[in-house]
Amino acid sequence: MLRALSRLALVSAEEALLGLLRHLESQRYDFVATTPATHERVLARDETDGADRLRAFFGWNRAFRPEQLPVPVLTLLRAARSLAAEGDRVRSGVRVARLGDRLFLHSAFPTDSPDAVFFGPDTHRFVRFAGQVLAADPRPVSHLVDLGAGSGAGAIALAGHVPGARLTLVDRNPEALRLAGINARAAGLAVNLVEAGSLSAVDGEIDLVIANPPFMADAAGRAYRDGGGRHGADLSLAWAGEAARRLKPGGRLILYTGAAIVGGEDRMEPALCALLAGLGCTCSYEVIDVDIFGEELDRPAYRNVDRIAAVGLVAEKTGARTS
C-alpha cells in the first residue's frame, strides 16, 4: 500500500481524483448534497468531533487536522493538488456526493467562484424527471447531448436508458468538463467533452438533448447559476431554441428548469411552448415542485416574485422518427 501511494506523485491530478472516487466507493462512502442554505445551517453547528469524518470532510467540506484523516485520502488529494491548508487543519478542494449508485465530484463549498461546479437537489430532480420520460417512452438514441453538463450527472445517470448512444457533454466551464470527465471514467463511460456555451460546437445529428440550464437571476454572474434576464429565464429559452433547431425529426429535448411565478402567473410555459411550436416541435410541460429556493425571494432581483417553481419540459421535433 505504501509503495502504491508513493507513486501517486507521478500521476496526474485527474488520475488522483479518479483514484479518490474509487477509494471512497471501497469505503462505502455516502452523502446527499443539499442546497447552499441548508449547507450553511449545518456548518454553523460544531459537529466535527465524533462525526463520520469522510462525510464531514467530503460532504459538508469541514476542515480537519491531517492526523484525523486516513492516509490514502490525504495522499490522493495532495497528488490531485486539491488540499487546502487552514492553520493546523486541511480542507478538501472538492466535494463528493452520491446520486443513485454513483459518486460525483463537484466544487468545494461555498460555490462562489465563477467556475464553480454545482451539484445538489436540482441535480436529483433533473435526473429523476428525465429518467421518467425516457422510461415511459423508450426509443433508440444514437446521440445524446447534455447541454450545460456541469458535473456530468445527467448524461452519466441516464446512460443506461440509451444503450449504445454517443454521449456528448457540453459546458463553457473548463472545470466542469474536467470533473465531468473524471466522473464519467469512474462510471466506466466514454464521453465526448466539448467546451462551449451552445450546440454550435457539436458535430453530427442529435436525437436527444437533455439540459438543466442555470435559471437564477445572479448578480455575480456565476456560470452554473446565472440564467440571465426575465428572472433567469433567458438562458432556458435560448437553449430550448437551439435544441429545437438541431434535433433531427423525432428527436427530443428534455429540459429541467426554474420558473419565477409573478402575480400567480407562470410566464415560462407560454414562452417556451410558443417558441418551440414555431420551430416545429410539440411541447409537454409540467410542474415538478411548486416552491424551491425560497430564500432567493429576499434578494432585490426577486422582489416581485411569489415563488420559484421547478418545471420540466419535453419537446419533440415533428416529422418521421428514425429507428
Side-chain angles (χ1 to χ4, degrees), residues 23-105:
H23 175 75
L24 292 177
E25 281 285 12
S26 75
Q27 300 302 302
R28 299 184 179 179
Y29 171 88
D30 193 27
F31 184 81
V32 174
T34 66
T35 65
T38 295
H39 199 114
E40 287 178 358
R41 288 180 172 90
V42 172
L43 285 186
R45 308 169 186 165
D46 185 12
E47 294 184 348
T48 54
D49 292 336
D52 178 331
R53 286 179 184 164
L54 287 180
R55 290 183 72 254
F57 190 63
F58 287 111
W60 298 117
N61 214 186
R62 292 184 181 275
F64 283 90
R65 295 190 302 276
E67 64 270 19
Q68 293 178 294
L69 297 165
V71 171
V73 164
L74 293 173
T75 304
L76 287 161
L77 284 174
R78 287 184 178 121
R81 297 182 292 280
S82 193
L83 191 67
E86 297 183 2
D88 65 345
R89 299 189 173 217
V90 292
R91 190 183 307 275
S92 173
V94 292
R95 283 183 287 165
V96 181
R98 185 175 295 278
L99 191 160
D101 60 354
R102 300 290 181 196
L103 293 179
F104 290 86
L105 293 161

Side-chain angles (χ1 to χ4, degrees), residues 14 24 30 45 82 98 116 158 167 176 197 226 253 258 260 263 281 318:
E14 287 70 25
L24 292 177
D30 193 27
R45 308 169 186 165
S82 193
R98 185 175 295 278
L158 297 170
L167 304 177
D226 185 20
L253 162 68
C281 293
T318 55

Side-chain angles (χ1 to χ4, degrees), residues 4-5 9 18 24 34 56 61 106 122 155 173 183 201 207-208 211 217 220 234 250 253 272 274 280 290 296 298 309:
L5 291 174
L18 178 61
L24 292 177
T34 66
N61 214 186
H106 56 116
D122 267 329
N173 179 0
N183 289 332
D207 47 6
L208 178 60
D234 278 358
L253 162 68
L272 274 173
V290 297
E296 296 295 327
D298 292 334

Side-chain angles (χ1 to χ4, degrees), residues 39-247:
H39 199 114
E40 287 178 358
R41 288 180 172 90
V42 172
L43 285 186
R45 308 169 186 165
D46 185 12
E47 294 184 348
T48 54
D49 292 336
D52 178 331
R53 286 179 184 164
L54 287 180
R55 290 183 72 254
F57 190 63
F58 287 111
W60 298 117
N61 214 186
R62 292 184 181 275
F64 283 90
R65 295 190 302 276
E67 64 270 19
Q68 293 178 294
L69 297 165
V71 171
V73 164
L74 293 173
T75 304
L76 287 161
L77 284 174
R78 287 184 178 121
R81 297 182 292 280
S82 193
L83 191 67
E86 297 183 2
D88 65 345
R89 299 189 173 217
V90 292
R91 190 183 307 275
S92 173
V94 292
R95 283 183 287 165
V96 181
R98 185 175 295 278
L99 191 160
D101 60 354
R102 300 290 181 196
L103 293 179
F104 290 86
L105 293 161
H106 56 116
S107 289
F109 187 84
T111 48
D112 289 337
S113 66
D115 65 348
V117 183
F118 188 74
F119 188 103
D122 267 329
T123 313
H124 287 258
R125 284 188 286 255
F126 167 47
V127 167
R128 183 170 61 249
F129 171 67
Q132 289 169 346
V133 171
L134 294 175
D137 183 7
R139 62 182 76 168
V141 172
S142 60
H143 189 189
L144 179 155
V145 177
D146 188 346
L147 179 57
S151 67
I156 293 167
L158 297 170
H161 289 280
V162 291
R166 174 187 174 198
L167 304 177
T168 298
L169 279 58
V170 181
D171 205 293
R172 64 176 178 160
N173 179 0
E175 177 63 7
L177 290 179
R178 185 176 84 97
L179 296 186
I182 299 167
N183 289 332
R185 287 182 64 192
L189 293 172
V191 298
N192 307 302
L193 302 175
V194 176
E195 185 179 336
S198 70
L199 293 173
S200 61
V202 178
D203 295 329
E205 289 190 325
I206 303 170
D207 47 6
L208 178 60
V209 175
I210 62 170
N212 174 13
F215 58 76
M216 304 302 298
D218 185 45
R222 286 166 287 185
Y224 77 88
R225 182 176 169 84
D226 185 20
R230 286 185 276 190
H231 300 110
D234 278 358
L235 194 59
S236 295
L237 290 162
W239 284 10
E242 275 195 36
R245 293 180 182 95
R246 285 296 306 272
L247 286 171

